[in-house]
């Protein structure tokens, strides 16, 4: 047997699953003693270019409470054409189409290498993809222009059959009718009044079904579009013009006021429009905002400039008078959208906060993207937006819609909950634990928007009693069934079935310990921490975390923006947490503990410690924090660069040295979504603070190491260094042990 | 008559009165003549016919002879006839002179009493006669016998009694009668006393009432008297006398005379005697007397006739009214007419009168300045007078004859329509005397009638085009005002358009500190401010407060105390002018933005199908180039915006930078807002291409619409919000088709319930269905948002509710029921063009300040008031008039008169803030007679109609009608009691200048609002109700008394003389044009000559006339050209385009046409003129008793 790391990597590669423990303690008591629960990071749509979708539907266990999918772990009686469900032990007849089954003629789903397999559902109509742009017009002309161009560009990236719609808003909300000749039409709504779907339907004149039905069947085959959502191929030009003519919100903004921005209503109308036209169909509401909502439901700040938008300080003092209402508004929107399988993306580009704190649930519940940038006129936004429409080899988008994830477990283990961009479907079942962790109390979750990296953390509970030992060699199995709408319009079902060995903690503690996946555990615990941080009071979470402890990661996690709000606005925190909650393990790791590479004449680029001691004058550092890619030129290097040596042919090597981190950074930039902030700075540069805030402050102004030493750069901070943290930790561990 | 009398009374007859009486008469004559004209025959008839033939009204029309039946009438008619006939007049004239003389004589005899008589006569004749007849006729039927006696007693008494039963009284009257004999003499004497003068007056007729009387008397005296005596009967005389009764003697005669005469004439039987008498009269009448007498006689005749008979039945008097009254009424009028005529003349040439009068009369018949007045007055008066004389003799006759004939006559014979005051006569007389420009410098001078073309010279008081008052001589005290019941009101049309030959008000700029005003009452600088202390201060004419003159405004005074620069400054020398307002006069202390026009077009199924949408859009493309502007050289600064709607609203962005218009749909109508700011209101020239593209597309876009529901409240809200957003005032043009039943604020339900009509709940139908629109209107006014509503209903749309906002914001409602593109396009487009182009002011506030002693207490019109003094008008255009009622709160002084200053602060269509000031000074009087002498009936009617039409909102319609009748009766009774010479109660005496009050009032009472026919929808009533509320006097006049022109002969340069609105006046062989200000009819008689048809229609055949045509074919012949010219000129005169409707005699559409023949009985139960006059008389008598 391969080593655990290899095993883990192989499993991750094949199934997109990483468990905190790869051997499970066989009783509840033991499991709780392990501190870190049995849990898994699951990436439902992990890219499997080698996995051909199967053009038939899965065979399900006939037990109504089970409905597990036939999988390689099932026992099959080829002669009797029976199979036994490995979850509920129900014996099932194969369907007639499996008549030819035999030991040598097995269907794919029985082959061990197809522990993850994808079926294509043939029934039902092909649903179009729906993209609804919700565009803020209260922004500087420059920004608006850039945004308009991005939007126009995006039209060319959409499949011709995709339906698009456009809603713009400022003081009012306009729903644009598309494909009008000679005159452009739009429906306008007051920005201060929320409407439910039914009202909206009436007001948009979308209640025609009765009329058309009455008129008889000749018009029956209604195309799946309406005046507001039309196929790109049909209104390409029209929409391009329409976007081109978009003007800045014309309502005057007087001195000392913020523009009135009806974001809350605009999103509500977007949600309502899709709700009444394309329920349960994959759809993406892409919201582009240039500032906070300042009026109507969902407003997060008044229009008086002299009153700044809420800060953490205000939140602590319970001084953010709009927050609760706004949060409630967006939460209800998020719930409506997720119920109908619609995604809400938020692209917020403004220097100040835009209310992501209040709106975070929109993206978090629906699997939408949240992107934060300073301006629409930055490559950060432009590239990120473009990357939303990335296509895979076959030419479909790397996005999936309206997915549901169902988890089935062996009897000994139950699912406690999930943390990630999902909402509960409140499906009770035999495998639902009473202990809730994250979004629990269900074995099904809705994930409206998925991409190949979307990762959920699933927490399990071992329920086997101590006095009911599991036979040696027993395995616990978990099946993940993900139904989703592929971007080609097909409905697909991906089934992943995994199993892990049970071990008695008392006798086999070694193997259990060896099976511990530190990285996965760290991320799982971090998610849990972030989840708690979001839902509970901050200090408690830190204390809880301190009790849990996972060494290094925890040191950085404690310092990370996911838990620390110092120096971050509420919006930033929301943004960081949002990304953290959906990215896969690798990315999540980077987020917690940024990666630092050093470039120098002394050798090839090497990863170095994220420590202030790594900052040396003759080095170029490349730091990747996921959100930022930072190139830092040491003092000497910076001087050289300033002197222009890189321009001189004889110093070509210096030029190469300068170029190397840039090239690497580009590579990172190209693959990362959302696009990170790219920072090129040097010793003493103002932007160097990003680096200094991340590194371990082993040398500070009040630290004995700091003074007079040549190496490293002192950090002016009162934060404790890792050394101090560890010392403290050790003391704590000993004392608690005692 | 009465009027005349009063005047006489007042002055004693002699002098002051003259004016009254004469004027009155004159008109009558004039009026009559016209009618008579046809009758010409009758004239002769008088004499002959009168007796036997009498009964037949025939006289009026054809049968002069038959007319004779009316003989009594005839007599009148005769006079009339004479009048009309050139010749007859002539003849009359002569007689008149004679008469006067006789009168004089008589007067002399009577001396004391006479004068009054004479005056009375003058007045009485017309009035009385009429009434008498009326009473007599109606009442008479019953009373006859008594009447007989009555007559016997006194003509007066007779008349009254008969008509009203007072048979007995007659007896008493009889006694009086005796006096009559003397009376006549007396009257004459009076005249005589005045006689010479009186006669002269007559001639002058105008001058003194007496004149009228004189005239009347005069005529009689001469031949007439003599004749009269015999004829006495001559009702005329009697009537006259009656009024004058005070001059009992005279009256008696008159009354008596008339009765007999008339009766005889009318009635066959009794007539004989009467006739006998008549004949005599006839002769006189034939001459001047003829005319006069006739009236009188008529009245008398009627009275007598009817009276006797009726009287007995009298109890039934009321009924008689109907029947009886008419007749009497008819006769009466003439007299009154005559009186009125007299009055005018009187003033003019009191002295010379006799001769002149006669001559004039004779000459023009009607035409002569004098003639008209005098003629009418004289003739009639004279008649009466003669009658008076006759009366005595006649009286007995009456008594006797009356009984028998009376009964019959009443029914059959009624008052001769020609004998009752004729609006046409009055109008023509006024025209005839208004050759000179009217100068406004003289305080208390009544202007020419609205039907007269005249030029105005502003010499310190506002032109009558801006302000018309009901009374130009206000009572000094509240008691007097209350006693007389004459409404004190002014109809103000602040932005009236002036004819090109009159200069619009000058614009005065007093600099940064704004217009100079009185410190206390804030009145604006005007000619009534008295500069004192060498010009350093001025004393306010309104409140007497002394205010410092600001240094920059200082100017030295000349020796008369006038400022040296008086004539250089409009505000010191003119009645109307404008101030440039400063920023202090602006909303929010900010100079206003230029206004905006927003077009809101219904695009529901009905609107599209009827073609309305298409028409509006096409028209707007060109119309937008004609937005109002003050300087024709410049482009209009008015911005425009467009909205279409059904149950949702579509706004359009037509910003010039757009390649194509943008449509913004607002479907959330529950809480209206404007979806865009920039690009909604645009300059036409800048956005022309986009606008045209839009207007081209709108009809296309909605061509296939199936939406039938509409909203309305949100539409106005939308416009209002748009104006708010743009921070400007403006006007909304709403084109709407149906009852707004879609779910939205201001949603309405169909509540048309004909069962409620006539019940106490009827008023609710005029009230808005929901309170929403009142609130909305208030908001509109606050923003200066005026709403014009064009309705295209196919069914009930609840105009009462939809009209609330337009009415409260100074807007207009236009209604095109069953709109069809083909037939109604022209009318609609012309209305629209005019409505868009006309000058209009926005965000206006009007305040009327008055001298201490009176106060503006009530206002009628299209506006909103949030307090009791400021009239707020979101929009005020050149067609809107506001009627203001004044009440006393203290005493006025005769010396200073009463001043009023109407100041209107508004934003002009170029966005300039201005103050328009109109000043008006009227006299004050301590004698009721003076009040009655200076009233204007047209204006009173304007006031009454507005008052009544507002009353239906809170009172049952019947109560409103009764109130009106009652008030008029009180007015007339007060006159009768206090101003007219004592006379028999049976005589109807009308003040000269109010002699048309009954006929006009009847028109108001019969209007669709107060007395709807079965086919009149609630919407129509509500529409008319609202429409009247902002009409000026000329519009309300023609609305209530349509203009009816015979078209047989057309001359260029002048219009044919109108005829009275009665079917009797229509000749089968004629073609008539009828104009109401809203409708235009061309009535074609069944026997029209082919040539005429060819000229007009291009077809020789009556049956080939296409009744659906709305315009006459353009034919190349002078007749056709002239006719079309006339039609065009009519249309140009009115603020709304009149669609021409061709009505063929006996065609179904004739029913509609007949509705406008307001002197006839209406299908809905409205009384005929004659009937109503009798009814009025009865009311008055009841009040007097």
């Amino acid at each position: 047997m391969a080593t655990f790391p290899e095993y883990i990597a192989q499993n991750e590669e094949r199934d997109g699953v990483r468990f905190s423990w790869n051997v499970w303690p066989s009783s509840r008591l033991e499991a709780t003693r392990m501190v870190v629960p049995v849990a898994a990071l699951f990436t439902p749509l992990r890219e499997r270019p080698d996995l051909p979708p199967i053009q038939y539907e899965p065979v399900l266990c006939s037990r109504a409470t089970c409905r597990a999918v036939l999988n390689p772990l099932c026992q099959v009686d080829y002669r009797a054409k029976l199979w036994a469900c490995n979850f509920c032990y129900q014996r099932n007849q194969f369907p007639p189409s499996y008549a030819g089954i035999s030991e040598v003629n097995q269907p794919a789903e029985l082959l061990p290498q197809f522990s993850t397999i994808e079926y294509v559902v043939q029934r039902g109509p092909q649903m179009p993809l729906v993209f609804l742009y919700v565009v803020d017009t209260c922004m500087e002309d420059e920004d608006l222009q850039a945004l308009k161009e991005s939007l126009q560009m995006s039209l060319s990236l959409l499949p011709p059959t995709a339906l698009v719609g456009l809603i713009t808003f400022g003081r009012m909300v306009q729903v644009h009718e598309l494909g009008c000749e000679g005159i452009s039409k739009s429906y306008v709504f007051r920005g201060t009044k929320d409407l439910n779907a039914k009202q909206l339907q009436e007001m948009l004149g979308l209640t025609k079904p009765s009329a058309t039905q009455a008129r008889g069947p000749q018009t029956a085959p209604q195309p799946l579009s309406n005046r507001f959502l039309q196929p790109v191929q049909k209104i390409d030009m029209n929409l391009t013009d329409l976007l081109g003519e978009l003007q800045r919100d014309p309502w005057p903004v007087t001195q000392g006021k913020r523009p009135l921005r009806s974001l809350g209503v605009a999103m509500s109308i977007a949600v309502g429009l899709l709700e009444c036209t394309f329920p349960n169909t994959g759809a993406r509401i892409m919201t582009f905002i240039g500032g906070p909502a300042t009026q109507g439901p969902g407003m997060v700040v008044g229009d008086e400039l002299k009153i700044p938008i809420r800060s953490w300080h205000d939140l602590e003092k319970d001084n953010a008078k709009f927050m609760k209402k706004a949060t409630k508004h967006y939460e209800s929107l998020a719930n409506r959208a997720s119920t109908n399988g619609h995604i809400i993306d938020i692209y917020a580009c403004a220097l100040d906060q835009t209310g992501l704190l209040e709106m975070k649930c929109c993206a978090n519940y629906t699997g939408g993207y949240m992107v934060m940038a300073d301006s629409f006129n930055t490559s950060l936004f432009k590239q990120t937006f473009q990357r939303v429409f990335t296509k895979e080899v076959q030419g479909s988008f790397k996005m999936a819609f309206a997915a549901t994830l169902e988890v089935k477990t062996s009897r000994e283990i139950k699912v406690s909950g999930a943390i990630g961009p999902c909402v509960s479907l409140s499906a009770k079942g035999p495998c639902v634990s009473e202990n809730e962790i994250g979004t629990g109390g269900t074995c099904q979750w809705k994930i409206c928007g998925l991409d190949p990296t979307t990762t959920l953390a699933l927490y399990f509970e071992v329920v086997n009693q101590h006095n009911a030992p599991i036979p040696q060699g027993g395995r616990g199995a978990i099946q993940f069934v993900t139904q989703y709408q592929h971007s080609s319009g097909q409905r697909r079902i991906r089934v992943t079935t995994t199993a892990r060995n049970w071990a008695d903690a008392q006798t086999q503690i070694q193997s259990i310990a060896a099976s511990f996946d530190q990285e996965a555990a760290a991320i799982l615990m971090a998610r849990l921490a972030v989840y708690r941080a979001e839902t509970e009071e901050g200090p408690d979470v830190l204390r809880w975390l301190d009790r849990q402890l996972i060494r290094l990661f925890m040191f950085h996690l404690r310092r990370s923006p996911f838990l620390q709000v110092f120096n971050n606005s509420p919006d930033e925190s929301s943004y960081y947490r949002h990304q953290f909650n959906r990215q896969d393990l690798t990315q999540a790791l980077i987020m917690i503990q940024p990666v630092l590479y050093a470039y120098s004449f002394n050798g090839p680029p090497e990863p170095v410690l994220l420590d202030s001691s790594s900052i040396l004058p003759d080095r170029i550092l490349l730091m990747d924090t996921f959100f930022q890619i930072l190139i830092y030129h040491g003092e000497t290097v910076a001087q050289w660069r300033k002197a222009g040596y890189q321009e001189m042919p004889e110093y070509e090597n210096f030029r190469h040295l300068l170029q190397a981190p840039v090239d690497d950074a580009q590579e990172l930039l190209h693959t990362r979504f959302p696009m990170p902030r790219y920072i090129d700075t040097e010793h003493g540069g103002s932007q160097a603070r990003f680096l200094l805030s991340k590194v371990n402050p082993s040398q500070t102004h009040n630290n004995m190491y700091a003074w007079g030493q040549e190496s490293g750069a002192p950090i002016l901070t009162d934060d404790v260094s890792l050394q101090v943290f560890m010392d403290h930790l050790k003391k704590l561990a000993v004392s608690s042990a005692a | 008559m009465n009027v005349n009398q009063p005047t006489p009374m007042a002055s004693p007859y002699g002098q002051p009165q003259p004016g009254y009486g004469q004027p009155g008469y004159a008109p009558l004559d004039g009026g009559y003549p016209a009618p008579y004209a046809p009758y010409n025959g009758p004239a002769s008839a008088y004499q002959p016919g009168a007796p036997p033939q009498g009964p037949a009204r025939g006289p009026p029309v054809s049968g002069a002879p038959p007319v004779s039946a009316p003989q009594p009438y005839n007599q009148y008619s005769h006079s009339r006839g004479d009048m009309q006939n050139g010749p007859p007049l002539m003849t009359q004239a002569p007689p008149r002179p004679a008469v006067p003389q006789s009168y004089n004589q008589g007067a002399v005899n009577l001396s004391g009493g006479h004068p009054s008589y004479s005056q009375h006569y003058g007045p009485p004749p017309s009035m009385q006669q009429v009434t008498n007849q009326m009473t007599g006729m109606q009442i008479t039927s019953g009373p006859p016998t008594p009447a007989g006696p009555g007559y016997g007693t006194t003509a007066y008494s007779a008349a009254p009694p008969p008509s009203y039963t007072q048979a007995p009284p007659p007896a008493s009257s009889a006694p009086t009668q005796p006096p009559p004999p003397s009376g006549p003499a007396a009257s004459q004497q009076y005249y005589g006393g005045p006689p010479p003068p009186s006669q002269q007056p007559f001639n002058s007729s105008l001058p003194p009432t007496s004149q009228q009387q004189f005239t009347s008397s005069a005529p009689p005296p001469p031949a007439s008297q003599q004749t009269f005596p015999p004829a006495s009967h001559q009702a005329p005389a009697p009537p006259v006398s009656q009024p004058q009764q005070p001059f009992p003697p005279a009256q008696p005669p008159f009354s008596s005379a008339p009765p007999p005469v008339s009766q005889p004439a009318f009635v066959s039987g009794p007539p004989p005697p009467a006739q006998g008498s008549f004949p005599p009269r006839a002769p006189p009448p034939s001459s001047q007397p003829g005319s006069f007498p006739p009236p009188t006689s008529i009245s008398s005749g009627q009275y007598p006739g009817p009276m006797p008979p009726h009287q007995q039945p009298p109890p039934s008097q009321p009924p008689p009214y109907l029947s009886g009254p008419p007749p009497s009424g008819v006769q009466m009028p003439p007299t009154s007419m005559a009186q009125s005529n007299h009055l005018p003349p009187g003033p003019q040439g009191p002295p010379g009168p006799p001769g002149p009068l006669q001559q004039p009369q004779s000459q023009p018949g009607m035409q002569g300045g004098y003639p008209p007045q005098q003629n009418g007055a004289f003739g009639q008066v004279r008649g009466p007078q003669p009658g008076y004389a006759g009366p005595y003799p006649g009286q007995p006759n009456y008594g006797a004859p009356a009984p028998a004939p009376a009964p019959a006559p009443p029914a059959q014979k009624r008052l001769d329509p020609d004998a009752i005051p004729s609006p046409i006569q009055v109008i023509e007389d006024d025209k005839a005397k208004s050759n000179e420009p009217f100068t406004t410098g003289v305080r208390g001078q009544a202007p020419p009638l609205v039907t007269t073309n005249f030029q105005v010279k502003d010499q310190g008081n506002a032109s009558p085009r801006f302000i018309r008052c009901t009374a130009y001589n206000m009572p000094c005290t509240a008691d007097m005002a209350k006693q007389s019941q004459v409404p004190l009101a002014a109809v103000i049309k602040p932005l009236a358009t002036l004819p090109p030959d009159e200069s619009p008000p000058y614009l005065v700029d007093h600099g940064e500190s704004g217009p100079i005003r009185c410190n206390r009452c804030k009145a604006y600088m005007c000619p009534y401010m008295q500069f004192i202390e060498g010009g350093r201060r001025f004393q306010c004419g309104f409140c007497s407060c002394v205010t410092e003159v600001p240094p920059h405004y200082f100017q030295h005074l000349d020796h008369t105390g006038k400022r040296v620069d008086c004539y250089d400054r409009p505000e010191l020398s003119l009645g109307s002018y404008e101030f440039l307002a400063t920023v202090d006069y602006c909303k929010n202390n900010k100079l206003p933005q230029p206004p905006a026009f927003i077009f809101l077009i219904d695009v529901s199924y009905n609107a599209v199908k009827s073609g309305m949408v298409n028409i509006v859009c096409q028209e707007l493309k060109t119309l937008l180039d004609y937005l109002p502007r003050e300087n024709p050289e410049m482009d209009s600064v008015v911005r425009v915006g467009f909205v279409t709607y059904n149950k949702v609203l579509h706004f359009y962005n037509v910003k010039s930078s757009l390649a194509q218009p943008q449509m913004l749909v607002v479907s959330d109508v529950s809480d209206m807002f404007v979806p865009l700011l920039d690009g909604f209101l645009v300059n036409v020239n800048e956005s022309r291409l986009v606008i045209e593209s839009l207007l081209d597309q709108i009809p296309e876009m909605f061509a296939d619409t199936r939406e039938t529901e509409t909203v309305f409240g949100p539409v106005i809200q939308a416009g209002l919000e748009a104006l708010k957003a743009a921070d400007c005032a403006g006007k909304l043009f709403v084109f709407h088709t149906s009852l707004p039943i879609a779910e939205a604020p201001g949603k309405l339900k169909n509540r048309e319930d004909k069962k409620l009509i006539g019940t106490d709940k009827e008023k609710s139908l005029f009230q808005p269905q929901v309170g929403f629109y009142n609130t909305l209107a208030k908001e509109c006014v606050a923003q200066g948002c005026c709403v014009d509503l064009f309705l295209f209903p196919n069914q009930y749309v609840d105009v009462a509710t939809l009209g609330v906002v337009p009415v409260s914001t100074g807007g207009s409602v236009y209604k095109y029921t069953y709109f069809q593109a083909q037939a109604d396009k022209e009318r609609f487009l012309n209305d629209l063009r005019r409505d868009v182009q006309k000058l209009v002011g926005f965000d206006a506030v009007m305040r009327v300040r008055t001298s201490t002693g009176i106060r503006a207490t009530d206002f009628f019109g299209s506006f909103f008031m949030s307090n009791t003094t400021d009239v707020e008008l979101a929009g005020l255009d050149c067609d809107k008039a506001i009627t203001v009622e004044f009440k006393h709160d203290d005493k006025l002084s005769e010396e200073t008169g009463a001043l009023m200053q109407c100041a209107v602060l508004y934003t002009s269509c170029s966005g300039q803030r201005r103050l328009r000031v109109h000043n008006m000074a009227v006299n004050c009087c301590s004698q009721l007679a003076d009040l009655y002498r200076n009233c204007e009936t047209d204006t009173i009617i304007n006031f009454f109609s507005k008052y009544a039409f507002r009353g239906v909102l809170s009172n049952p319609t019947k109560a409103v009608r009764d109130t009106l009748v009652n008030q008029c009766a009180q007015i007339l009774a007060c006159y009768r009691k206090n101003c007219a010479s004592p006379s028999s109660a049976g005589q109807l005496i009308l003040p000269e200048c109010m002699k048309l009050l009954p006929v006009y009032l009847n028109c108001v009472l019969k209007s669709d609002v107060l007395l709807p026919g079965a086919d009149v929808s609630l919407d129509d009533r509500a529409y008319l109700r609202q429409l009247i509320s902002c009409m000026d006097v000329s519009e309300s006049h023609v609305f209530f008394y349509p203009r009816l022109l015979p078209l047989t002969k057309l001359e260029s340069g002048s219009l044919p003389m109108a005829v009275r609105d009665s079917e009797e006046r229509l000749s089968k062989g004629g073609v008539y044009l009828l104009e109401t200000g809203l409708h235009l009819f061309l009535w074609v008689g069944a026997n029209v000559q082919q040539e005429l048809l060819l000229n007009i229609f291009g077809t020789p055949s009556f049956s080939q006339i296409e009744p659906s045509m709305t315009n006459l074919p353009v034919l190349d012949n002078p007749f056709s050209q002239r006719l079309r010219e006339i039609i065009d000129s009519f249309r140009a005169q009115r603020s709304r385009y009149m669609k021409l409707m061709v009505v063929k005699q006996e065609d179904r559409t004739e029913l509609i046409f007949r509705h406008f023949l307001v002197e006839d009985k209406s299908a809905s139960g409205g009384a005929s003129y004659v009937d109503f006059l009798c009814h009025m008389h009865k009311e008055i008598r009841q009040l007097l008793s």
Side-chain angles (χ1 to χ4, degrees), chain A residues 339-480:
Chain A
T339 306
N340 287 291
H342 301 145
I343 308 165
I344 302 177
D345 290 346
I346 298 174
Y347 304 86
C349 293
L351 290 171
D352 197 1
Q353 301 185 70
T354 54
L356 290 180
L357 171 69
E358 286 82 357
M359 292 184 286
K360 64 188 175 197
C361 46
C362 290
N364 288 347
Y365 288 9
T366 64
Y369 298 127
M370 188 188 279
V371 174
M372 199 167 101
D374 291 344
S375 156
F376 287 107
N377 199 17
T378 56
S379 62
L380 196 165
F381 165 74
K382 292 178 183 171
Q383 302 269 330
T384 303
F385 182 57
Q386 193 165 357
R387 222 159 281 172
V388 170
F389 300 101
T390 311
K391 289 177 180 149
E392 56 175 19
V393 193
Q394 277 103 4
S396 315
F397 286 134
K398 287 185 177 177
M399 56 173 96
F401 300 85
T404 55
L405 169 65
E406 181 170 10
V407 174
K408 302 188 185 301
T409 58
S410 300
R411 285 175 181 170
E412 298 82 8
I413 192 167
K414 293 194 173 185
V415 62
S416 301
I419 296 178
C422 60
V423 290
S424 163
L425 280 175
S426 298
K428 306 290 177 200
C431 49
V432 177
S433 161
E434 289 171 6
N435 265 340
E436 286 189 28
I437 301 179
T439 311
T442 178
C443 60
Q444 291 181 16
W445 293 265
K446 183 129 194 168
I447 316 166
C448 300
L450 275 174
D451 64 31
T453 62
T454 304
T455 301
L456 267 66
L458 291 156
Y459 298 85
F460 301 94
E461 183 186 23
V462 176
V463 294
N464 197 38
Q465 294 303 310
H466 189 62
N467 52 8
I470 298 168
Q472 188 71 21
R475 306 179 87 191
I478 296 177
Q479 186 172 62
F480 303 97

Side-chain angles (χ1 to χ4, degrees), chain B residues 38-46 53-54 56-70 74 77:
Chain B
Y39 301 54
N40 296 336
S44 64
Y46 284 179
Q53 301 171 346
R57 282 190 182 175
V61 185
S62 63
V67 176
S68 67
N74 293 339
S77 63

Side-chain angles (χ1 to χ4, degrees), chain A residues 172 174 181-190 193 203 245 247 250-252, chain B residues 660-665 667-668 670-678 697 701:
Chain A
M172 311 283 173
Q174 280 176 260
E181 292 293 324
I183 190 164
S184 56
K185 296 184 194 172
S186 59
Y187 284 66
V188 189
F189 298 87
R190 211 183 247 279
K193 188 176 169 189
M203 291 183 182
E245 282 202 348
Q247 295 167 334
W251 296 87
Chain B
Q660 59 182 32
Q662 290 177 351
M663 173 190 198
L664 299 164
V665 185
S667 30
D668 182 6
S670 61
D671 187 11
M672 205 55 213
F673 62 94
V674 183
L676 76 171
L677 182 61
D678 192 22
Q697 287 188 58
M701 266 192 291

